[in-house]
Amino acid sequence: MSNIQLIIEERPNNIGNFMVGRLLPFREKRMVGPFAFIDHMGPVRLSDHENLDVPPHPHIGLSTLTYLFEGSIQHKDSLGTDIEIKPGQVNWMTAGKGIVHSERTPEYLRTSDKMLHGLQIWVALPKALEEMDPEFFHVEEHEMPVWNADGVHFKLIAGEVLGKKSAVPVYSPLYLLELKSTSRQTITIGKDLFGESALYILEGAIESEEHVFGPKQILVAKDSKLCEFVMQENTTVYIFGGEAFPEERTIYWNFVASSKEKIEEAKSRWLEQSFPKVPGETEFVPLPNQVPGVKFK
């Protein structure tokens, strides 16, 4: 019997001035462990007059994880954070009871050609921490464990697994692993994983139970402990998962919560513009169905 419960194809989704590949949520699988949302950005080439510009928008009940392969994003938030993220680094922003942030091409790159490619991930917070104060952490690449085993290069981007721990301050048991192989290799790490688990193929291909799977697919495992597959040469995959929460999560727009009441409250707060402001920003992303173009009060 196959251990692959579900195969999710990347689906194009417009987030503004360019397309991303939406991976989670999916109608048949809303979350994997605490992971509620995964977008694959790019790779996209932006010309000297094209830039990433996502105006201030709110979040509640989650942590966002931004991880770039190419390019650069200037992150600003309502805590006063103003920082550039580059490939290999992690921006970890915990919304808790509410945070607002913008994501734009840095000023010094706005008149030159550039690439943008990476992952943007939402991790739901445990119910007891949904109303925590918002936080932001920037984690350098050297703060993430990296090692080689049996011809495979591993990086633990977030969480704790395989006897390693990332500096990203997560709030529930989880893991986000990067595996890269230049040669054909068999992976048998399932016994060391826990909770729910899924695998995203960025490039190359894997073989599992006499099937070959290529880029832009997520494979959701029925049992992470049975996770065994073959990486073909020049393959990069991401394994993510962790302990699922006992309660379901409601996802609406940029909000994640354990109750619809919290979602409705957040919608009202954004309509009233009572979320904290991002210093130096005057634009904002309207609530879906809200009249666009309104400035901050």
Side-chain angles (χ1 to χ4, degrees):
M1 181 179 295
S2 173
N3 185 45
I4 299 171
Q5 180 184 35
L6 183 65
I7 302 166
I8 301 174
E9 297 280 353
E10 188 171 303
R11 299 155 338 267
N13 188 63
N14 192 335
I15 66 165
N17 56 348
F18 70 100
M19 303 295 288
V20 299
R22 177 64 45 80
L23 296 162
L24 280 179
F26 187 69
R27 64 182 179 273
E28 294 176 40
K29 186 63 177 174
R30 306 304 298 177
M31 294 175 64
V32 175
F35 289 83
F37 173 102
I38 298 180
D39 265 357
H40 174 209
M41 302 184 295
V44 61
R45 180 176 297 279
L46 300 172
S47 68
D48 58 3
H49 62 278
E50 295 176 310
N51 292 292
L52 172 71
D53 279 304
V54 181
H57 54 283
H59 291 285
I60 65 165
L62 55 83
S63 297
T64 64
L65 187 155
T66 302
Y67 183 73
L68 297 181
F69 310 130
E70 294 181 90
S72 178
I73 295 175
Q74 195 73 28
H75 164 98
K76 295 182 180 181
D77 64 39
S78 51
L79 296 173
T81 310
D82 185 350
I83 194 166
E84 180 183 1
I85 180 173
K86 297 181 178 181
Q89 302 171 336
V90 165
N91 273 3
W92 176 259
M93 182 184 74
T94 297
K97 61 187 179 184
I99 199 168
V100 180
H101 74 131
S102 64
E103 298 161 290
R104 301 184 186 275
T105 299
E107 198 62 39
Y108 73 95
L109 293 174
R110 296 184 73 84
T111 56
S112 58
D113 295 346
K114 56 261 171 192
M115 291 292 295
L116 188 61
H117 189 198
L119 295 174
Q120 290 203 305
I121 295 169
W122 294 358
V123 180
L125 285 168
K127 186 175 181 178
L129 295 176
E130 284 185 302
E131 299 290 333
M132 69 179 284
D133 289 335
E135 296 179 340
F136 179 87
F137 292 91
H138 178 84
V139 179
E140 297 287 347
E141 187 169 14
H142 68 80
E143 298 179 86
M144 299 169 226
V146 295
W147 68 99
N148 292 288
D150 300 323
V152 178
H153 181 76
F154 288 80
K155 178 189 287 185
L156 180 58
I157 298 170
E160 187 171 1
V161 76
L162 301 174
K164 312 287 186 180
K165 184 177 182 179
S166 169
V168 175
V170 302
Y171 294 102
S172 66
L174 62 86
Y175 45 88
L176 174 59
L177 276 165
E178 176 187 83
L179 282 67
K180 292 189 175 187
S181 178
T182 56
S183 59
R184 183 182 176 88
Q185 300 291 342
T186 299
I187 308 298
T188 57
I189 61 173
K191 65 182 182 302
D192 298 307
L193 302 180
F194 58 89
E196 297 183 332
S197 186
L199 179 151
Y200 173 57
I201 306 164
L202 177 68
E203 58 187 356
I206 72 156
E207 300 167 20
S208 178
E209 296 157 339
E210 300 181 354
H211 296 280
V212 177
F213 302 96
K216 301 185 177 182
Q217 290 184 319
I218 279 184
L219 309 182
V220 180
K222 290 181 179 177
D223 183 346
S224 63
K225 292 179 173 56
L226 301 178
C227 188
E228 181 173 323
F229 57 93
V230 173
M231 292 178 69
Q232 293 187 356
E233 61 181 14
N234 300 320
T235 291
T236 301
V237 302
Y238 292 85
I239 298 176
F240 62 94
E243 298 293 351
F245 298 130
E247 324 86 10
E248 290 188 5
R249 289 296 182 275
T250 297
I251 301 176
Y252 169 83
W253 191 40
N254 301 315
F255 305 139
V256 174
S258 61
S259 72
K260 292 182 179 179
E261 289 75 18
K262 291 183 186 296
I263 298 289
E264 292 302 317
E265 179 189 4
K267 288 166 64 175
S268 297
R269 287 166 59 200
W270 190 243
L271 284 168
E272 296 164 359
Q273 287 300 298
S274 60
F275 271 83
K277 307 296 190 289
V278 178
E281 293 271 17
T282 56
E283 297 179 284
F284 69 93
V285 179
L287 193 75
N289 302 320
Q290 182 185 355
V291 177
V294 181
K295 298 295 184 182
F296 277 125
K297 294 179 182 177

